Amino acid sequence: MHMETRPRRTGWVEYINKTDYVPRPEEVLFTTAPRDIYVEEGYDGDIPCITDDGRLDWFAHHPLAYPEEYQPSVKSRSYDIAFLELNVPGPTYLELPLQAEIIAALESGQYKVLAITAYTWMIPWALKLAERARRDYGIREVWLGGYGIMTPEPKIRQLFDRLFWGYAESTMREALGLSPMKPSQIEHPMLINESTYLAHKIKIGHLFWERGCTQRCTFCADPVFQPGGEGTFSVENVRRTLERYKEEGVVTVHLVNQDVRPFKDVGRQIIELLYEYGLPFTMMTSFLALTAKGHDGMKWLADKGLTMAQLGVESLDDTNLSKSLKTTNYDHISKTVRQMDDLRIRMSATYIVCFEDDTPESIHRSKRLLGDLGPIYTYFSILQPMPSTPQYYDMHKRGLINDWDFRKWTGGYLVWDHPTIKPDEAREIVRDMDLAINTPQYNQRLKREWQRISRMRERMHERGRAGYTLDMRARARVYYHPQSDAQLPAAEFSARSGIQTATTRTPTTA
């Protein structure tokens, strides 16, 4: 199914076997990947981190060179299952379970449909589970959703009966004989997560008001998975979510739309609501969206409580940015970051290495430029040909993809034939970038930021003990938690090159 023929702004179902079967909701078992995925087969590759307590922590994918308690961390729920569980009642939902829990549920004999949500790197596991469920446990149909449906694996259409594209609250309801729902009717789940920065833990509430992305970056799967994005949620539903976040002691809200567009009418309404509830906020956004109203717009955001913007920098090479259809360039990025500094809006970033025009030397030059921009944290990955994206089709047509072990399609491996960089070298480059940009003993600007945060926390601690009310925005900006006695490390920050941390990288069976 080509993008031109797919419905826009709504989810849809691709029927492999058109059976017209409508199970009762209670006959459906819905599962994410287990947190001990691939353990049985002894695979210990560099996979995104699922914690032992059943949460996703993408920051733990690349542990940094300082002690575990100072690792950045956001332990979050699985968004897709959180939304489905609230809006599609009836099925049994298993969120990041153990593999044994999935098998026990299948053995119970009460289910006729197994529904799996997966990313590409989970597809080998999903295929085995689908085959086993039908063969050993009498499952009548197996359904697949999530970004993994785009994986170029022929067995997907041999083993699955239906593929759920896009966001599936409405299509899942219809598949179970329930009434469909519009995006404006979707109830927002409680996405309260534990977030840690520099040894202080705070409650952070994640918030959507729309999903999907209208950008057209050639390497990104979002515009393919849900073309054009999705209609917006009800502002009143968002208000109810913020009320509950406030009641639960949330310190700051992270806006997690794939591309927050804060100056749209609904964006302004949501940000005014955050200000009304006294909740500072951070957001995932693009340079285009952030600067749409110029400096005045950014100042308005800062005045309303924006403390950090998580931006897709991806590269500081204009050739890379232009070829991948990024709507920015190096001059725009550097000018925007200077304005953010003036407004005391911090930046975190995502960054991709090993674009086709990259060389080890060009990446080394960009490393210095990125350090000068001063992100508080940068999540690095290796360029991956995300299935169904323009970049994937281009690389496939030219025969560049040379590693079809989908377990490695995580952004942690080079799975295509780069003209100047080898796979082992790519992984070394990522480790070097992590060390240089995310470790304060090597990044002097980050070191100064840590020292500033330490001083501000000490002043807040003193004011709190003296009985003063602490400003929520100031607290959020430095991740201050008044009940925490944790102190930042000494001047050298206890960092050592090559330190092994205790942060979980591969799920265990414990």
Side-chain angles (χ1 to χ4, degrees):
M1 188 182 293
H2 296 289
M3 184 181 290
E4 308 86 59
T5 64
R6 295 171 183 163
R8 294 173 65 84
R9 301 184 68 76
T10 183
W12 68 99
V13 181
E14 180 182 351
Y15 291 91
I16 309 303
N17 299 309
K18 184 68 173 177
T19 63
D20 294 325
Y21 175 56
V22 181
R24 297 195 309 273
E26 62 270 17
E27 294 176 325
V28 176
L29 175 65
F30 189 103
T31 187
T32 66
R35 54 186 182 265
D36 52 350
I37 188 172
Y38 299 135
V39 167
E40 287 184 357
E41 55 196 77
Y43 179 73
D44 61 353
D46 187 35
I47 66 175
C49 188
I50 305 173
T51 65
D52 288 340
D53 55 353
R55 287 291 181 264
L56 294 168
D57 188 356
W58 297 93
F59 286 95
H61 188 25
H62 296 299
L64 304 178
Y66 40 85
E68 180 182 3
E69 61 267 30
Y70 301 105
Q71 301 288 328
S73 170
V74 179
K75 289 186 176 182
S76 64
R77 291 195 63 188
S78 173
Y79 294 149
D80 47 3
I81 207 166
F83 272 93
L84 287 168
E85 193 172 30
L86 183 59
N87 291 281
V88 188
T92 296
Y93 292 97
L94 301 180
E95 182 177 3
L96 302 172
L98 294 170
Q99 179 71 14
E101 295 176 273
I102 300 174
I103 299 304
L106 291 170
E107 287 176 339
S108 72
Q110 68 184 86
Y111 304 108
K112 294 183 179 180
V113 171
L114 172 64
I116 300 171
T117 179
Y119 291 100
T120 287
W121 65 271
M122 303 171 180
I123 286 298
W125 159 80
L127 293 172
K128 289 182 178 179
L129 181 63
E131 187 172 28
R132 186 177 179 184
R134 201 187 299 271
R135 181 192 65 221
D136 297 344
Y137 304 110
I139 291 294
R140 178 170 172 174
E141 289 198 8
V142 188
W143 302 345
L144 180 67
Y147 287 74
I149 60 174
M150 300 185 287
T151 306
E153 168 53 72
K155 286 185 178 180
I156 288 177
R157 284 167 174 78
Q158 297 169 13
L159 293 173
F160 290 94
D161 299 279
R162 306 182 197 185
L163 305 181
F164 287 76
W165 289 78
Y167 303 103
E169 291 82 16
S170 187
T171 50
M172 274 291 290
R173 287 178 63 89
E174 291 182 276
L176 304 181
L178 305 174
S179 60
M181 66 189 329
K182 299 176 182 178
S184 60
Q185 297 173 304
I186 291 174
E187 293 290 333
H188 196 294
M190 293 287 281
L191 299 175
I192 297 179
N193 303 313
E194 176 188 280
S195 185
T196 304
Y197 186 63
L198 304 187
H200 278 219
K201 288 181 170 61
I202 64 171
K203 280 186 178 180
I204 183 168
H206 284 196
L207 184 74
F208 291 89
W209 74 76
E210 61 183 354
R211 297 173 296 186
C213 188
T214 58
Q215 301 283 326
R216 286 292 179 266
C217 305
T218 60
F219 52 77
C220 184
D222 285 329
V224 187
F225 183 66
Q226 179 72 76
E230 183 185 48
T232 58
F233 295 171
S234 158
V235 173
E236 283 307 307
N237 283 350
V238 172
R239 176 187 287 276
R240 286 195 294 271
T241 303
L242 293 179
E243 287 175 352
R244 295 183 66 189
Y245 282 176
K246 189 74 172 180
E247 292 169 359
E248 293 293 330
V250 163
V251 172
T252 188
V253 172
H254 186 41
L255 307 179
V256 286
N257 306 3
Q258 281 91 335
D259 182 19
V260 171
R261 292 174 286 173
F263 302 113
K264 289 179 59 180
D265 287 345
V266 66
R268 287 183 175 273
Q269 290 180 62
I270 301 301
I271 288 167
E272 290 288 0
L273 278 179
L274 289 163
Y275 186 73
E276 176 185 331
Y277 284 104
L279 287 168
F281 66 99
T282 60
M283 66 183 186
M284 294 174 60
T285 190
S286 62
F287 284 95
L288 179 68
L290 180 63
T291 60
K293 298 298 181 181
H295 184 272
D296 288 345
M298 290 174 61
K299 185 177 185 304
W300 177 78
L301 290 169
D303 291 343
K304 293 299 179 182
L306 177 63
T307 62
M308 185 272 287
Q310 183 179 341
L311 291 156
V313 175
E314 315 310 1
S315 179
L316 294 175
D317 183 290
D318 283 349
T319 298
N320 293 338
L321 295 171
S322 176
K323 284 187 174 182
S324 59
L325 304 187
K326 289 287 291 180
T327 52
T328 189
N329 56 42
Y330 173 69
D331 286 343
H332 182 218
I333 291 170
S334 57
K335 178 183 177 182
T336 302
V337 173
R338 287 195 299 271
Q339 292 177 337
M340 291 170 66
D341 286 345
D342 292 342
L343 295 168
R344 300 177 70 189
I345 301 171
R346 299 170 304 167
M347 177 183 74
S348 70
T350 55
Y351 197 92
I352 299 172
V353 299
C354 300
F355 281 93
E356 192 165 0
D357 289 301
D358 277 341
T359 65
E361 294 75 24
S362 70
I363 294 172
H364 181 77
R365 290 193 296 271
S366 294
K367 178 173 66 176
R368 177 183 57 79
L369 297 176
L370 182 60
D372 290 343
L373 293 178
I376 61 168
Y377 183 84
T378 304
Y379 185 91
F380 293 100
S381 62
I382 298 168
L383 184 69
Q384 176 184 309
M386 300 287 282
S388 292
T389 62
Q391 184 179 72
Y392 167 81
Y393 287 120
D394 174 63
M395 287 187 173
H396 186 265
K397 182 179 180 180
R398 292 189 286 145
L400 294 180
I401 302 172
N402 57 14
D403 191 337
W404 294 94
D405 181 352
F406 292 120
R407 296 176 302 179
K408 294 182 179 179
W409 287 43
T410 62
Y413 291 91
L414 186 64
V415 299
W416 57 282
D417 186 15
H418 193 280
T420 62
I421 299 172
K422 300 302 180 186
D424 288 346
E425 188 177 9
R427 288 171 63 77
E428 286 299 324
I429 286 171
V430 167
R431 282 190 282 267
D432 176 66
M433 294 290 274
D434 261 336
L435 186 66
I437 302 301
N438 290 325
T439 307
Q441 77 192 70
Y442 298 100
N443 183 339
Q444 292 302 303
R445 176 163 177 168
L446 183 60
K447 180 177 180 177
R448 291 193 296 272
E449 173 72 1
W450 278 34
Q451 291 170 331
R452 185 188 67 81
I453 287 174
S454 183
R455 291 193 298 270
M456 287 184 67
R457 284 180 176 175
E458 289 172 1
R459 287 199 293 270
M460 286 183 178
H461 192 64
E462 291 172 0
R463 288 179 62 83
R465 292 180 62 183
Y468 290 96
T469 300
L470 299 175
D471 177 74
M472 284 287 285
R473 185 180 178 215
R475 280 181 56 187
R477 188 183 292 119
V478 297
Y479 266 59
Y480 176 74
H481 192 284
Q483 278 73 54
S484 177
D485 293 324
Q487 300 295 316
L488 290 178
E492 71 276 17
F493 301 103
S494 302
R496 301 189 300 279
S497 178
I499 189 173
Q500 296 298 311
T501 75
T503 303
T504 303
R505 300 187 69 179
T506 303
T508 68
T509 56

